[in-house]
Amino acid sequence: MGKEFEALEANHIWYVVPIPIGKKAIGSKWAYKIKFRADGSVERYKARLVVRGDTQTAGIDYNKSFSPMIKMTTVKCLITGAVNNQWPLFQLDVNNVFLYEGFG
């Protein structure tokens, strides 16, 4: 949880502001997950702070939604291209991903 908070603060994800009159704050909660190795031992513990989306109303609490997705066919094509061109492949674990809408 500490690493998650540090990342949120370092990336300036939120600012403390007064709640507008007639509005309610949207709650959040911690989601926990344990990642295991193939042998069953614990690899690491993960914690994510998530917004309680079930309490939001479209058009009031948000106007847009964003859900990055990729099809498995695309992944297979990228790996095939890398193998055929003898490009090195690396694994990358992303701790925090943020959508930045600062354009416009």
Side-chain angles (χ1 to χ4, degrees):
M1 288 171 49
K3 286 184 181 180
E4 180 77 359
F5 258 125
E6 288 172 13
L8 293 172
E9 289 175 349
N11 288 295
H12 307 288
I13 298 305
W14 68 60
Y15 300 95
V16 177
V17 296
I19 298 173
I21 296 173
K23 301 291 181 177
K24 295 187 305 182
I26 299 170
S28 60
K29 67 178 182 176
W30 285 100
Y32 302 101
K33 186 172 185 175
I34 301 172
K35 300 291 271 187
F36 295 96
R37 292 187 183 94
D39 66 1
S41 63
V42 174
E43 180 179 339
R44 62 188 155 130
Y45 298 95
K46 294 178 75 172
R48 295 287 179 255
L49 184 62
V50 294
V51 173
R52 294 271 320 271
D54 59 316
T55 63
Q56 294 179 305
T57 305
I60 296 173
D61 298 316
Y62 64 91
N63 294 321
K64 299 178 186 176
S65 62
F66 177 76
S67 180
M69 297 188 312
I70 188 167
K71 293 184 178 182
M72 213 45 195
T73 306
T74 305
V75 174
K76 290 177 183 177
C77 287
L78 289 171
I79 292 173
T80 301
V83 169
N84 288 338
N85 290 296
Q86 297 181 349
W87 295 336
L89 294 173
F90 301 94
Q91 177 180 338
L92 173 66
D93 290 328
V94 178
N95 290 330
N96 296 83
V97 178
F98 305 103
L99 176 63
Y100 178 69
E101 290 191 25
F103 306 7

